[in-house]
Amino acid sequence: MSRTHAGAVAAALAILAGSIAAPSLADLPSEAPGRSVTLPEPHPHWMFVGDLLLRRNALLDLDRGTFLGMVSTGFLSPAALFARAGGEFYLPETHYSRGSRGTRTDVVTIYRTRELAPVAEVEIPPKRAVNVLPVGNAAISDDDRFLAVFNMTPATSLSIVDLQQRRFVQEIATPGCSLVYSAGPRRFLMICSNGSLQSVRLDESGREAGVERTRSFFDPELDPVTEKAVRFGSRWLFVSFEGNVHPVETSGDALEFGEPWSLISPDDRADSWKVGGTQHLAIHQATGRLYSLMHQGGNDSHKDPGSEVWIYDLDSRERVQRIRLAHPGLSFMSETVEFGQTWAWPFRGIWPFALDHLVPNPGLNSLQVTQDDEPLLVTGSQIGGSVAVYDALTGELLRRVPTGGMTTHTLQAPWGGGEAQP
Amino acid sequence: MSRTHAGAVAAALAILAGSIAAPSLADLPSEAPGRSVTLPEPHPHWMFVGDLLLRRNALLDLDRGTFLGMVSTGFLSPAALFARAGGEFYLPETHYSRGSRGTRTDVVTIYRTRELAPVAEVEIPPKRAVNVLPVGNAAISDDDRFLAVFNMTPATSLSIVDLQQRRFVQEIATPGCSLVYSAGPRRFLMICSNGSLQSVRLDESGREAGVERTRSFFDPELDPVTEKAVRFGSRWLFVSFEGNVHPVETSGDALEFGEPWSLISPDDRADSWKVGGTQHLAIHQATGRLYSLMHQGGNDSHKDPGSEVWIYDLDSRERVQRIRLAHPGLSFMSETVEFGQTWAWPFRGIWPFALDHLVPNPGLNSLQVTQDDEPLLVTGSQIGGSVAVYDALTGELLRRVPTGGMTTHTLQAPWGGGEAQP
Amino acid sequence: MWRDDQNAVDRWVARAARDLARRTSRRSFLTRLGVLLVGGATLPLLPVARAEPRAQAAGEPDPNTPLGDPKDCEYWRYCAIDGFLSSCCGGTHNACPPGTEMSMTTWIGTCRNPTDGKDYVISYNDCCGKDLCGRCTCMRHEGDRPVYYATRSNDINWCMGKVGVIYNSTVAVVIGVASDT
Amino acid sequence: MWRDDQNAVDRWVARAARDLARRTSRRSFLTRLGVLLVGGATLPLLPVARAEPRAQAAGEPDPNTPLGDPKDCEYWRYCAIDGFLSSCCGGTHNACPPGTEMSMTTWIGTCRNPTDGKDYVISYNDCCGKDLCGRCTCMRHEGDRPVYYATRSNDINWCMGKVGVIYNSTVAVVIGVASDT
């Protein structure tokens, strides 16, 4: 409790003394105002859920279904970055001095996880790419030392932040290549518009130490890979609109492209099954299972919401399970007795109707998997503030958890499995 | 069009030349990007409609039902102030350097009405009272020279801004008294917690030239006047929870209290009719008609929405008309054919239901009257983005106008009648 | 600036202490926005406060093991609250959610603890510095007065001064036993 | 900083001009937010875009007397638009609403004018510097590509550089006649 708080409390008690009786043994003791909760050590079943409309990320306990806290993110800052050590996370933010006008300031805000409070910020060039991608706008080097922020003005570049020294190091121009993914302690990957990858190497001070381009390994016109790549150990998996998986091994000095394989069998393709969603891929590292959000749709449906999650074994490259997704919001039926009773018209009357008639599934836009030994699969719909929680191994629906938000976007479960998620 | 735009356009056309055929006579000529609309002279039937959730005020044409533009207001800045000259308006705003944290900056932003663009700003002490009152948080002297902003930290004071010289003049401490209303070129009124008024006089430079308190003229405990006072020429009318009108004449050197009178007859009181709402009073200056939002309710219902508007003649103090208020939102039935077709679940299904079943009136929280010779009465509901427009003389419902917003709060129609509204 | 705030806080507490009143609510405008956010705006996929009266929640003889549900709007301490319950937002009934700061300008009410039958002076402090929590809207307001009667007005956002004006949620802190004198 | 932006704009226009494509959409994320704002969030009291196909709107032989309804999503110029129509937000089909600034980084599409049967190069410029307009959501997107293929990506907010990143609405400007070569 800060001294100022203490002072005010003292003042309060002093002045209130007149109207407060001398405490007797049975009385509740006076409590100290000014306290804020500090979180325990992060748990693998904690998850950040982003809300782009309310400009916040809510932290949920998926086991107890409770709301642990939130961070205000500012305009379109969908994804935080998490130090593998776990004690901190980082939010690239864009602010204007007068709300929607004035001077633009971009910062990387450094949060201490257990306080959910900013402890420092590093100002970066006001060029941050402003979009809604759940991954690819920033990345942390595998040793937690450097943070790279993708810029688009529309000229593309990377801003390098030294997280140890809490300072901006350098902007690296990356014409023709976009987004950023971590690949080792001193290497970041980018995707180039010609279908190739670019390696950006840093030296020990975080300055550019070399840039190499690979051959192009996909056709950005005919079957582009989505930006929502997933990392499996030292391997990155890029998945295309048509469901082709392009593995890229990053352990060696040079990148190695593995044999592409397909998530969609000819039969499934005949039924027009497609990958898609806002955040449509996740991997459980320990079991090597890939979770893919699937829907039936036509061309250009690569961002349509999913109706099922298909689970693949990354060794055998076989689909081992299909989960038909439940509605993420009906959990509130448990609150219908009170629900909306106190609302002003017209909302009072709508909820009962919604319960009776609105059975169709909204479609799930986002998916995430926790990294512990009892992993949870979580799905969220862009419209509404609730997520559905499944046993990631059996596919059993466990519960639904309210986010307190209006929209559900990026899902992040960085704790557990020994390291933060890419 | 700015030179930078011109430059970019030139660049565009030059580079595009290769892929663009030489124009033939029949072709549409190329158009210049970079243009923004400038508004015509403000019309008496234009209205600003505030939305506290979207943090904006939308400007509507009530005759044509069109959306003319909007201003972003920042956090809880419900009401703009309008120069009687009409060419400018002023928004007291509060901003933080990092959105919801960081350094607080309060400014009075000066907008040129026809551009709806800020042309200047005056920084004031970061003490502005942050609440949702539609009136009373700031006022302009009757000669448009000085703007007074009410501060609450919770210590109360006024910040005086010189609108002519575009600078902050002085903060005037006003212990025990709150809010601010204009009463002449160099005098502002405040309401004090003991039920009295305080006059704050300014000198020609805008500095404090004297403060006087009146006797207390109402009981803040038993029958307090609402903050939503209305001005009738040189007279201010303060209306109490119980519907008692307290007139205050401000033309003389000293304030004169007129005889209180009641808006509610014994019979109406027996039917528990009460005044109430967020913005529950308006006056049409030319005809001397007072418009009061009414509802049936119990104690502490002074902010409940209204179901009727009662119209009084301020000379005879007689009620001359009752208007049962229509729903402000059903105007969208005209769009039901398309309405919601493209929405994601669950909204698709809700609208048809709403049309069939949600006939009850949401209750109207806000009311305003235009000041021309063919005045319009406008009512809005806190929940939803639509206002209902009536002929203010006949009470006939003319149309409903969408605001494009989520909530409807302060309604302002400052133009016409020769001067801006208080 | 800070000294000014400190004085303001002292003046404030003094005024509040002289004006103890029962079951008075505050900031219903924020709650209404809250209802919009939590209920209307995101309907029907969002949770909403249990605002309907319930069986009277128990108090706590031992503050460390509270009886009754501090996430329930009917919890005894909330007799004069109006806002989002901190205990639903990552905090507790008397501590703010992580990363928010508790305001020192407050409305003070008096609530009866059903366990010992005593009236306690409760300070309703706002948790500030992060945007609306949006969970567990709780409105129990009576005796609201206009803004010029500040200690009784629920149109005022009590996030003020040092903690900033951005409102997140509200706690209910026991300040002492209300005397009968 | 400005010089940098200017260069960026030139590079940008160059890339866009080399990559004319038909009926490609942009920024559907903003539109989705828009649908939430306009439809979901405020339901059922809000207007919403006419997004269902209509009888083909006419073009304009004389740009000063446009045929067809520039507030209609099916207006011919909007074949590759995705966002809120400026013409519903206080602007026109080719001028931004009052107080907003037009972005110079744009997506460029090719639309056929039903009146003269010619294909025109249309520049979709965003109007920036004020928050979401929220009216007349119009999504006509095909051929969307990922962000790294920027000239074809609708996940990018084209309010950039000098005009700032706050998006309000979008216009459709005739840049010229598309050649068949």
Side-chain angles (χ1 to χ4, degrees):
Chain A
M1 189 172 70
S2 75
R3 299 191 69 267
T4 59
H5 284 164
V9 177
L13 296 181
I15 295 153
L16 284 168
S19 60
I20 296 178
S24 73
L25 281 180
D27 296 343
L28 294 185
S30 298
E31 301 165 339
R35 294 188 304 116
S36 292
V37 165
T38 299
L39 295 169
E41 282 303 322
H43 186 281
H45 287 181
W46 287 6
M47 179 169 285
F48 267 113
V49 179
D51 185 328
L52 293 177
L53 268 188
L54 297 191
R55 301 182 178 184
R56 78 178 192 189
N57 291 348
L59 181 61
L60 307 179
D61 180 325
L62 299 174
D63 292 329
R64 295 182 296 161
T66 52
F67 186 100
L68 296 171
M70 56 177 268
V71 291
S72 294
T73 62
F75 183 70
L76 287 185
S77 179
L81 288 301
F82 296 85
R84 284 155 180 75
E88 289 181 347
F89 63 90
Y90 314 94
L91 267 175
E93 302 175 353
T94 297
H95 298 289
Y96 282 87
S97 57
R98 298 294 182 263
S100 54
R101 65 181 190 279
T103 308
R104 174 179 176 177
T105 305
D106 286 13
V107 296
V108 172
T109 306
I110 298 163
Y111 280 84
R112 193 170 293 132
T113 305
R114 294 188 54 187
E115 282 79 21
L116 285 184
V119 292
E121 74 175 21
V122 175
E123 188 166 349
I124 56 176
K127 301 177 173 184
R128 184 178 78 86
V130 176
N131 59 49
V132 294
L133 293 180
V135 296
N137 282 316
I140 297 184
S141 64
D142 288 0
D143 64 353
D144 289 349
R145 173 73 190 276
F146 296 108
L147 176 71
V149 176
F150 170 56
N151 299 322
M152 185 173 184
T153 67
T156 56
S157 64
L158 294 181
S159 291
I160 306 297
V161 171
D162 185 328
L163 294 174
Q164 187 175 300
Q165 297 181 24
R166 308 271 204 240
R167 63 181 189 84
F168 168 66
V169 177
Q170 176 190 31
E171 180 181 356
I172 302 174
T174 61
C177 301
S178 296
L179 306 170
V180 60
Y181 308 87
S182 180
R186 297 292 175 269
R187 179 168 60 184
F188 292 105
L189 302 184
M190 304 181 74
I191 308 179
C192 307
S193 53
N194 69 344
S196 66
L197 290 180
Q198 175 166 285
S199 284
V200 178
R201 295 177 182 284
L202 304 182
D203 63 21
E204 282 311 302
S205 68
R207 309 194 74 82
E208 175 178 346
V211 171
E212 306 122 35
R213 280 236 198 158
T214 69
R215 63 172 173 86
S216 67
F217 66 104
F218 69 90
D219 183 328
E221 190 68 50
L222 297 183
D223 188 24
V225 298
T226 75
E227 310 94 331
K228 297 88 174 185
V230 280
R231 186 175 181 177
F232 182 44
S234 61
R235 210 176 317 155
W236 275 97
L237 304 182
F238 295 90
V239 177
S240 74
F241 287 12
E242 295 301 330
N244 297 312
V245 180
H246 299 267
V248 179
E249 178 57 52
T250 68
S251 55
D253 216 40
L255 301 179
E256 292 169 23
F257 293 101
E259 194 55 44
W261 55 285
S262 177
L263 296 174
I264 304 173
S265 71
D267 287 1
D268 296 328
R269 198 174 303 280
D271 295 341
S272 66
W273 280 100
K274 289 205 159 46
V275 303
T278 303
Q279 184 180 12
H280 60 89
L281 296 170
I283 289 178
H284 184 249
Q285 303 288 328
T287 58
R289 294 174 123 211
L290 171 70
Y291 295 75
S292 176
L293 202 50
M294 308 297 293
H295 69 278
Q296 290 171 286
N299 293 334
D300 303 314
S301 70
H302 51 281
K303 275 181 280 193
D304 287 3
S307 58
E308 297 189 6
V309 169
W310 292 2
I311 307 177
Y312 299 81
D313 179 294
L314 285 172
D315 288 338
S316 65
R317 298 183 168 180
E318 295 294 328
R319 183 179 67 199
V320 295
Q321 201 171 339
R322 276 173 81 148
I323 303 175
R324 166 159 290 288
L325 295 174
H327 189 286
L330 291 185
S331 59
F332 303 116
M333 290 182 74
S334 62
E335 286 185 53
T336 45
V337 180
E338 298 90 9
F339 203 63
Q341 297 298 314
T342 59
W343 294 355
W345 185 97
F347 303 110
R348 206 180 298 118
I350 288 177
W351 183 238
F353 170 80
L355 296 179
D356 299 336
H357 302 75
L358 300 180
V359 281
N361 193 299
L364 287 307
N365 305 82
S366 302
L367 150 164
Q368 188 54 277
V369 175
T370 69
Q371 292 304 317
D372 56 314
D373 295 340
E374 294 168 332
L376 301 175
L377 166 67
V378 177
T379 60
S381 176
Q382 201 157 23
I383 297 179
S386 176
V387 293
V389 180
Y390 302 79
D391 181 314
L393 300 180
T394 68
E396 176 198 2
L397 177 64
L398 300 176
R399 67 191 63 88
R400 300 179 177 92
V401 179
T403 69
M406 291 171 66
T407 69
T408 297
H409 196 262
T410 305
L411 306 176
Q412 299 184 284
W415 304 287
E419 68 168 36
Q421 282 295 82
Chain B
M1 189 171 70
S2 76
R3 298 190 69 267
T4 60
H5 284 163
V9 176
L13 295 181
I15 294 155
L16 284 168
S19 59
I20 296 179
S24 74
L25 281 180
D27 298 343
L28 293 185
S30 299
E31 300 164 340
R35 293 188 306 115
S36 293
V37 165
T38 299
L39 295 169
E41 281 304 323
H43 186 282
H45 287 182
W46 287 7
M47 180 170 285
F48 267 112
V49 179
D51 185 328
L52 293 177
L53 268 188
L54 297 191
R55 301 182 179 186
R56 78 179 193 188
N57 291 349
L59 181 61
L60 307 179
D61 180 325
L62 299 174
D63 291 331
R64 295 182 296 161
T66 53
F67 186 100
L68 296 171
M70 56 178 267
V71 291
S72 294
T73 62
F75 182 69
L76 287 186
S77 178
L81 288 301
F82 296 86
R84 284 156 180 74
E88 290 183 346
F89 62 91
Y90 313 95
L91 266 176
E93 301 176 353
T94 297
H95 299 289
Y96 282 88
S97 57
R98 298 295 181 265
S100 54
R101 64 181 189 279
T103 308
R104 175 180 176 177
T105 304
D106 286 13
V107 295
V108 172
T109 305
I110 298 164
Y111 280 84
R112 192 170 293 131
T113 305
R114 294 187 54 188
E115 282 79 20
L116 282 185
V119 292
E121 74 175 22
V122 176
E123 188 165 349
I124 56 177
K127 301 178 174 183
R128 185 177 77 86
V130 176
N131 59 49
V132 293
L133 293 180
V135 295
N137 282 316
I140 297 184
S141 64
D142 289 359
D143 64 354
D144 288 349
R145 173 73 191 276
F146 295 108
L147 177 71
V149 176
F150 170 55
N151 299 321
M152 185 175 184
T153 67
T156 56
S157 63
L158 295 181
S159 290
I160 306 297
V161 170
D162 185 328
L163 294 174
Q164 186 176 301
Q165 297 182 22
R166 307 270 205 239
R167 63 181 189 83
F168 168 66
V169 178
Q170 175 188 32
E171 179 181 356
I172 302 173
T174 61
C177 301
S178 296
L179 307 170
V180 61
Y181 307 87
S182 180
R186 296 292 175 271
R187 179 168 60 185
F188 292 105
L189 301 184
M190 304 182 74
I191 308 179
C192 307
S193 53
N194 68 345
S196 66
L197 292 179
Q198 176 167 286
S199 284
V200 177
R201 296 176 182 285
L202 304 183
D203 63 21
E204 282 310 303
S205 67
R207 309 195 74 81
E208 174 179 347
V211 170
E212 305 123 36
R213 278 234 199 163
T214 69
R215 64 174 173 87
S216 66
F217 65 103
F218 68 90
D219 183 328
E221 189 67 51
L222 297 182
D223 188 25
V225 299
T226 75
E227 309 94 331
K228 296 88 174 184
V230 280
R231 187 176 182 176
F232 181 44
S234 62
R235 209 177 316 156
W236 274 97
L237 303 183
F238 295 91
V239 177
S240 75
F241 287 13
E242 296 301 329
N244 297 312
V245 181
H246 299 267
V248 178
E249 177 58 51
T250 68
S251 55
D253 216 40
L255 301 178
E256 291 168 23
F257 293 101
E259 194 55 42
W261 55 285
S262 177
L263 297 175
I264 304 173
S265 71
D267 287 0
D268 295 330
R269 197 174 304 281
D271 295 341
S272 66
W273 281 100
K274 288 202 158 47
V275 302
T278 304
Q279 184 180 11
H280 61 88
L281 295 170
I283 289 178
H284 183 249
Q285 303 289 328
T287 58
R289 294 174 124 215
L290 171 70
Y291 295 76
S292 177
L293 202 49
M294 308 297 293
H295 69 278
Q296 290 171 287
N299 293 333
D300 303 313
S301 70
H302 51 283
K303 274 181 280 192
D304 286 5
S307 57
E308 297 190 6
V309 168
W310 292 2
I311 307 178
Y312 298 83
D313 179 296
L314 285 173
D315 290 336
S316 65
R317 299 183 169 181
E318 295 295 327
R319 183 179 68 198
V320 295
Q321 201 171 341
R322 278 173 78 151
I323 303 174
R324 167 158 289 288
L325 295 174
H327 189 288
L330 289 185
S331 59
F332 303 117
M333 290 182 75
S334 63
E335 288 186 50
T336 47
V337 180
E338 300 90 9
F339 203 63
Q341 298 297 315
T342 58
W343 294 355
W345 183 97
F347 304 109
R348 207 179 298 117
I350 287 177
W351 182 239
F353 170 80
L355 296 178
D356 299 335
H357 302 73
L358 300 181
V359 280
N361 192 299
L364 286 306
N365 305 83
S366 301
L367 151 164
Q368 188 53 277
V369 174
T370 69
Q371 292 304 316
D372 55 315
D373 295 341
E374 294 170 333
L376 301 175
L377 166 68
V378 177
T379 60
S381 176
Q382 201 158 25
I383 297 179
S386 175
V387 293
V389 180
Y390 302 80
D391 181 314
L393 300 180
T394 68
E396 176 197 2
L397 176 65
L398 301 177
R399 67 191 62 89
R400 298 180 178 90
V401 180
T403 69
M406 291 171 66
T407 69
T408 297
H409 196 264
T410 304
L411 306 176
Q412 299 184 283
W415 304 287
E419 68 168 35
Q421 280 296 80
Chain C
M1 180 62 191
W2 161 245
R3 167 166 284 96
D4 177 23
D5 282 350
Q6 185 58 69
N7 296 344
V9 170
D10 295 343
R11 269 197 304 280
W12 180 257
V13 177
R15 287 165 65 186
R18 280 192 302 271
D19 185 33
L20 296 179
R22 308 173 72 91
R23 293 183 162 277
T24 299
S25 75
R26 314 154 18 258
R27 220 186 34 260
S28 64
F29 78 91
L30 267 180
T31 308
R32 294 204 194 96
L33 285 188
V35 170
L36 275 169
L37 278 169
V38 181
T42 68
L43 168 137
L45 300 185
L46 272 186
V48 95
R50 298 170 174 164
E52 297 309 288
R54 291 257 180 130
Q56 178 63 267
E60 58 255 51
D62 171 2
N64 301 321
T65 60
L67 307 176
D69 180 3
K71 294 186 177 184
D72 186 329
C73 187
E74 289 307 306
Y75 180 56
W76 72 278
R77 292 183 180 213
Y78 299 148
C79 72
I81 205 170
D82 189 333
F84 304 116
L85 300 181
S86 167
S87 50
C88 298
C89 300
T92 70
H93 57 295
N94 61 9
C96 281
T100 64
E101 259 196 290
M102 193 180 290
S103 69
M104 282 299 127
T105 55
T106 76
W107 166 238
I108 291 178
T110 305
C111 304
R112 173 154 295 168
N113 180 342
T115 302
D116 61 15
K118 291 189 170 126
D119 290 339
Y120 288 88
V121 179
I122 306 293
S123 169
Y124 298 104
N125 299 65
D126 288 340
C127 303
C128 314
K130 297 191 178 198
D131 296 314
L132 288 178
C133 157
R135 301 204 60 212
C136 295
T137 307
C138 182
M139 305 165 63
R140 292 172 64 178
H141 59 286
E142 297 164 24
D144 167 59
R145 290 291 176 269
V147 165
Y148 55 79
Y149 195 164
T151 56
R152 298 279 300 273
S153 173
N154 70 9
D155 268 346
I156 294 174
N157 167 10
W158 292 124
C159 285
M160 290 185 182
K162 177 169 147 296
V163 298
V165 299
I166 307 296
Y167 169 79
N168 175 261
S169 54
T170 305
V171 297
V173 176
V174 167
I175 287 194
V177 180
S179 65
D180 304 332
T181 59
Chain D
M1 180 63 190
W2 161 243
R3 165 165 286 96
D4 178 20
D5 280 352
Q6 186 57 70
N7 296 342
V9 170
D10 296 344
R11 271 197 304 280
W12 180 256
V13 178
R15 289 165 65 186
R18 282 193 302 270
D19 185 31
L20 296 178
R22 308 172 70 91
R23 294 186 161 274
T24 298
S25 73
R26 318 155 13 258
R27 220 186 33 259
S28 64
F29 77 91
L30 267 181
T31 309
R32 294 203 194 96
L33 287 187
V35 171
L36 275 169
L37 278 170
V38 181
T42 69
L43 166 137
L45 302 184
L46 272 185
V48 93
R50 297 171 173 162
E52 298 306 291
R54 292 252 179 135
Q56 179 63 267
E60 61 254 55
D62 172 1
N64 301 320
T65 59
L67 307 176
D69 179 4
K71 295 187 178 185
D72 186 329
C73 187
E74 289 306 307
Y75 180 54
W76 72 277
R77 293 182 181 215
Y78 298 148
C79 72
I81 204 169
D82 189 332
F84 303 115
L85 300 182
S86 167
S87 49
C88 298
C89 299
T92 71
H93 57 294
N94 62 8
C96 281
T100 62
E101 262 196 287
M102 193 180 289
S103 70
M104 282 299 126
T105 56
T106 78
W107 166 240
I108 290 176
T110 306
C111 304
R112 173 152 296 166
N113 179 342
T115 302
D116 60 16
K118 292 189 171 126
D119 290 339
Y120 288 88
V121 179
I122 305 293
S123 169
Y124 298 103
N125 298 64
D126 287 340
C127 303
C128 314
K130 298 190 178 199
D131 296 316
L132 287 178
C133 157
R135 302 202 58 210
C136 295
T137 307
C138 182
M139 304 165 63
R140 292 170 65 178
H141 58 286
E142 297 165 22
D144 168 59
R145 290 291 176 268
V147 165
Y148 54 79
Y149 195 163
T151 56
R152 298 278 301 274
S153 173
N154 70 9
D155 268 345
I156 294 174
N157 167 11
W158 291 124
C159 284
M160 289 184 182
K162 178 171 147 297
V163 298
V165 299
I166 307 295
Y167 170 79
N168 173 261
S169 54
T170 304
V171 297
V173 176
V174 167
I175 287 196
V177 180
S179 65
D180 304 334
T181 60

